[in-house]
Amino acid sequence: MAHSHRLLVGVLLLVLLAGCTAVGPSDDTAAPENLGVVDGVAYDERLDADNQPTINDDAIDDVVARMMARIERERGLAFESTPEVEVLTREAFRDGDVDFTGDTDEFDALRWQATHIVGADEDLDAALAAVYGGSVAGFYDSSDDGRVVLIVEDEDSFVLPRATLVHELVHALQDQQLTLRSATDTTDAELAWQGLIEGEADLLPDKYEQQCASGAWTCVPAGAGGSGDRSYNQGLFASIFVPYGEGPSFVAELRDRGGWDAVNDAYENPPQSTAELISPDRYPFEPTAVEVEDRSSVDWGPITDNGERATDTIGPGLLYAMFWYNDVIPESHFRSDDGISGVTYEHPLVTGWTGDQFVGYESVGAESDQAYVYRSTWTNATEAERFAEGYRELLDRHGAEQSSAPNTHVVDDGGFAGAYRIDERGDSVTVVYSPSAAALSEVHVDHQSTTTAASMKGSETVSGTATLTTGLLAPVRTPGSTQILPSMVGERSG
């Protein structure tokens, strides 16, 4: 699933967030003496644009330079160059050629169906485009010397979105001094990586705003970005928002442990799972290596990518979004006064997660049906049972009926119609989905099934079959090239 060779880091808005949490004052005395001056503008310099309702084109360069100087002063890293800053209306952004969604395929669509967020009767590309098109407030483009684009509803009434600009300038600094590129190959690992870079880029605007509010710095007025259309899929938004919801607290925890040096070190040893974003005390954490053995019949086979079996790790961040979007977790739980972002993905249904694997299947024949197997592991049998109970409640929300077959539930209609078998074994839970209850054992025979071994392609392990892990947010990367990397941050008031 290759994407275009340009790295785009974007900002999305979430208006429901309210109440900033203090992350500690800046310590200007700790900054190296050679930091804090950019293009001849010092971090503590007063500008004519301060306290003016709008900023003209002549003043914007000095405003950006001072912002960069203040970021240097706080972060202890120097900018190598100044990115270009542009303003684009939302209408022009939607009609433009900037693509955060990449090239999705049947595996991607099936995975989002498995999270019960985008159904089989929905268009995944359209759903993703609606989220990004309706919510992006800006992005950083790493091509050439770097470019920051701010998205506004009305160019004529534009007031500088201060926090958004600071956020994107932090991405420029990361690009110049650290890295924005990852070597992740699953959705969960990619979201965890984004939690590091977005967490830092969201933490610094908080500190910037505190300095402005306290009067320690003179600042230009802050405009608030916004979206005129929030009718997009909220579950999809909550899924992509994981790095912004939990990343700032994760980075703040690292900084508390060992200052900015600890954050710098994390770029060499990044988090491997959203479990670490949700519970920073678990970092560094190595998820359990989970493998779904191929026990499909000759009438079914795994979905492949370049001849290799495609798999993915979904992780606890997306599992939270799944339960929340389907009302298993109350809507109000998402909002939180704890932490920095104002939201939380921490809930007993997901905090016991230790690993998972998702494998998609397709039937053999002219009319191809799809199915999947999703196996997750948990800290103990109690946590596994809790997840299974939550999953059964989720199916009930879709109107599932208990089948006569053991552990099997059937949803008759809608985007998630089909049969689901939930197998609990100790600290693991395996969910098998197929279009019908009769096909469940053809997709993945249960240990208790009477299906004969002769009708199955494999047994307990896959022999001689290569596996390719692949994530929707983890495009194939070529060393030394820039890539598409979608990201977002929440708007705050307070």
Side-chain angles (χ1 to χ4, degrees):
M1 285 175 285
H3 296 252
S4 60
H5 300 288
R6 187 170 56 170
L7 185 68
L8 301 176
V9 184
V11 173
L12 271 72
L13 304 175
L14 187 59
V15 174
L16 64 86
L17 304 186
C20 298
T21 299
V23 292
S26 297
D27 181 8
D28 287 335
T29 61
E33 293 183 0
N34 63 330
L35 297 178
V37 179
V38 173
D39 295 337
V41 180
Y43 77 98
D44 56 354
E45 189 168 332
R46 291 179 179 272
L47 301 176
D48 292 340
D50 291 337
N51 302 317
Q52 298 298 315
T54 59
I55 302 172
N56 58 40
D57 292 341
D58 294 334
I60 189 66
D61 289 345
D62 284 347
V63 170
V64 171
R66 188 177 65 180
M67 281 186 172
M68 294 170 64
R70 289 171 173 177
I71 293 169
E72 283 190 352
R73 193 78 178 173
E74 169 61 36
R75 189 58 177 85
L77 296 173
F79 283 93
E80 296 176 354
S81 61
T82 301
E84 180 183 359
V85 177
E86 302 177 10
V87 175
L88 193 66
T89 65
R90 185 165 305 283
E91 181 180 5
F93 169 68
R94 284 175 170 147
D95 295 340
D97 60 358
V98 178
D99 180 17
F100 285 97
T101 65
D103 299 323
T104 61
D105 59 18
E106 62 176 358
F107 183 84
D108 298 323
L110 187 61
R111 177 182 43 224
W112 283 110
Q113 180 184 339
T115 60
H116 296 266
I117 289 173
V118 182
D121 56 349
E122 300 176 73
D123 185 324
L124 175 60
D125 288 331
L128 287 167
V131 171
Y132 288 113
S135 298
V136 169
F139 60 88
Y140 171 72
D141 182 350
S142 72
S143 62
D144 300 325
D145 292 329
R147 178 175 66 119
V148 169
V149 178
L150 303 175
I151 310 299
V152 299
E153 304 302 326
D154 184 355
E155 200 167 20
D156 294 334
S157 59
F158 167 69
V159 178
L160 185 73
R162 194 168 61 198
T164 300
L165 181 52
V166 172
H167 181 105
E168 298 307 333
L169 290 173
V170 173
H171 283 321
L173 182 62
Q174 292 168 330
D175 189 28
Q176 293 172 20
Q177 294 293 347
L178 299 162
T179 184
L180 294 174
R181 301 165 188 83
S182 70
T184 60
D185 57 6
T186 72
T187 294
D188 187 48
E190 178 66 16
L191 287 171
W193 166 256
Q194 289 182 20
L196 173 61
I197 63 173
E198 298 298 345
E200 178 187 345
D202 209 15
L203 189 66
L204 286 169
D206 271 339
K207 299 181 74 66
Y208 193 103
E209 292 302 309
Q210 290 171 28
Q211 294 292 84
C212 292
S214 69
W217 291 342
T218 58
C219 303
V220 297
S227 168
D229 179 11
R230 301 187 185 278
S231 60
Y232 43 75
N233 184 316
Q234 293 296 311
L236 195 55
F237 184 99
S239 300
I240 307 171
F241 195 74
V242 173
Y244 309 86
E246 295 291 3
S249 294
F250 172 76
V251 174
E253 169 69 20
L254 294 183
R255 189 171 185 264
D256 289 345
R257 291 184 194 180
W260 285 117
D261 286 343
V263 178
N264 295 344
D265 292 343
Y267 282 82
E268 298 295 327
N269 184 30
Q272 300 300 302
S273 169
T274 54
E276 295 159 282
L277 304 186
I278 296 170
S279 303
D281 59 318
R282 297 180 78 173
Y283 174 82
F285 167 73
E286 186 68 32
T288 301
V290 179
E291 182 178 7
V292 174
E293 61 274 14
D294 183 12
R295 290 198 248 125
S296 60
S297 74
V298 294
D299 295 325
W300 289 84
I303 294 175
T304 60
D305 189 345
N306 293 323
E308 298 181 348
R309 186 177 75 152
T311 72
D312 194 17
T313 298
I314 290 175
L318 294 194
L319 292 179
Y320 178 96
M322 174 183 77
F323 285 127
W324 175 79
Y325 183 57
N326 288 279
D327 297 324
V328 178
I329 295 176
E331 180 181 358
S332 60
H333 183 274
F334 190 46
R335 307 182 189 192
S336 171
D337 292 331
D338 298 328
I340 297 169
S341 71
V343 303
T344 182
Y345 289 77
E346 184 177 12
H347 190 277
L349 281 172
V350 303
T351 50
W353 180 96
T354 62
D356 72 45
Q357 187 177 68
F358 169 83
V359 182
Y361 283 84
E362 55 190 356
S363 62
V364 178
E367 295 185 7
S368 179
D369 290 321
Q370 292 185 326
Y372 58 79
V373 180
Y374 173 66
R375 176 170 297 161
S376 57
T377 58
W378 302 83
T379 53
N380 53 54
T382 299
E383 296 294 336
E385 183 179 5
R386 192 196 317 274
F387 170 77
E389 282 294 327
Y391 196 89
R392 281 187 281 268
E393 183 177 345
L394 182 154
L395 293 179
D396 288 343
R397 302 285 182 179
H398 293 316
E401 297 289 342
Q402 179 76 44
S403 169
S404 59
N407 307 317
T408 300
H409 307 256
V410 177
V411 177
D412 286 331
D413 51 35
F416 306 99
Y420 300 80
R421 190 180 73 226
I422 305 172
D423 299 327
E424 299 177 59
R425 300 189 185 281
D427 63 359
S428 72
V429 179
T430 302
V431 176
V432 183
Y433 163 83
S434 70
S436 67
L440 286 170
S441 61
E442 297 291 311
V443 173
H444 191 77
V445 65
D446 181 63
H447 282 295
Q448 307 302 321
S449 173
T450 58
T451 303
T452 62
S455 67
M456 311 307 295
K457 294 200 301 284
S459 55
E460 288 301 305
T461 60
V462 179
S463 177
T465 300
T467 296
L468 173 70
T469 54
T470 177
L472 178 62
L473 301 179
V476 176
R477 290 171 170 80
T478 303
S481 68
T482 54
Q483 309 293 327
I484 294 291
L485 178 62
S487 56
M488 60 194 84
V489 66
E491 178 189 37
R492 303 177 185 79
S493 62

